[in-house]
Amino acid sequence: MAQQPSKSVIASFLAGFIVLGIAPGSAATEPSVSGLWQKIDGETGKPVGWFLFVERNGLYEGVIAKLFPRPGDPQKPICSSCRDDRKNAPLLGLPLIRDMRRNGLSYQDGNILDPRDGNVYSAMMTVSPDDKTLTVRGYLGISLFGRDETWYRLPQSALKEVDPVVIAKYVPGQAKVGPSMGALHQPEITAKSTNTVR
């Protein structure tokens, strides 16, 4: 029998979404969303989850890279409420954010999944100029009617704590990645790609 994700785990992922202004500068010197980010529970100060962002074919997606289950949560929660290709997929490694287009520090035209009910909402994100925070806004209709949350950059060394299955799927060459997490990307599946995107 499929396990449903615990409301406490999933509710913490989507507790809220602040979009910061875009800083001037060229894309070559600006930080990228690529890499690992952590969401902290505002009430407890404890980590809720880690999210790994990768680039593929010019679009960015964020997957659930690590779960921090609470007592009573299922050991291997799945997205039983999802209605698309993510139906009954494990939450660990689940693409939560898809189709983000980069414009400097801003990412737009994407979407975010609420695994509690399977709904998909429009989304936008902004990386802070100092590359320490990522602000995500999920919304229905227009961005004014949305919710915000802030995630925090994790060092590349944290990748060793991510499940090997997630690493193999989304960052197959992670052992060759340099000190900057900004170089992380997912290669095109059908075409040769040797370029990295920041």
Side-chain angles (χ1 to χ4, degrees), residues 96-153:
L96 192 72
I97 296 176
R98 288 180 166 170
D99 300 328
M100 288 292 195
R101 295 185 185 279
R102 183 177 185 180
N103 181 11
L105 295 174
S106 176
Y107 296 78
Q108 302 167 342
D109 303 325
N111 58 74
I112 186 167
L113 168 72
D114 182 344
R116 296 172 296 182
D117 58 19
N119 289 331
V120 177
Y121 299 94
S122 297
M124 55 197 302
M125 312 181 302
T126 303
V127 177
S128 64
D130 66 3
D131 197 32
K132 292 183 180 178
T133 61
L134 172 67
T135 54
V136 181
R137 183 170 188 83
Y139 59 94
L140 183 61
I142 61 173
S143 64
L144 180 64
F145 302 111
R147 293 172 55 173
D148 305 340
E149 76 180 27
T150 302
W151 298 347
Y152 300 91
R153 172 73 77 185

Side-chain angles (χ1 to χ4, degrees), residues 156-179:
Q156 181 179 357
S157 61
L159 274 175
K160 65 185 173 199
E161 296 181 44
V162 173
D163 188 283
V165 173
V166 174
I167 294 296
K169 183 173 182 181
Y170 293 100
V171 196
Q174 83 84 23
K176 297 179 184 177
V177 175

Side-chain angles (χ1 to χ4, degrees), residues 54-103:
V54 295
E55 182 274 338
R56 187 174 87 187
N57 300 327
L59 298 176
Y60 291 80
E61 73 178 344
V63 302
I64 300 172
K66 186 172 182 178
L67 298 169
F68 294 87
R70 297 177 183 174
D73 287 346
Q75 288 185 347
K76 295 184 179 182
I78 63 167
C79 193
S80 58
S81 297
C82 291
R83 296 183 290 272
D84 57 13
D85 61 304
R86 296 169 278 199
K87 175 81 175 165
N88 292 327
L91 286 187
L92 187 63
L94 186 81
L96 192 72
I97 296 176
R98 288 180 166 170
D99 300 328
M100 288 292 195
R101 295 185 185 279
R102 183 177 185 180
N103 181 11

Side-chain angles (χ1 to χ4, degrees), residues 38-59:
Q38 176 174 246
K39 179 182 177 348
I40 302 289
D41 184 309
E43 293 180 17
T44 66
K46 294 181 179 179
V48 173
W50 290 2
F51 304 89
L52 175 66
F53 280 86
V54 295
E55 182 274 338
R56 187 174 87 187
N57 300 327
L59 298 176

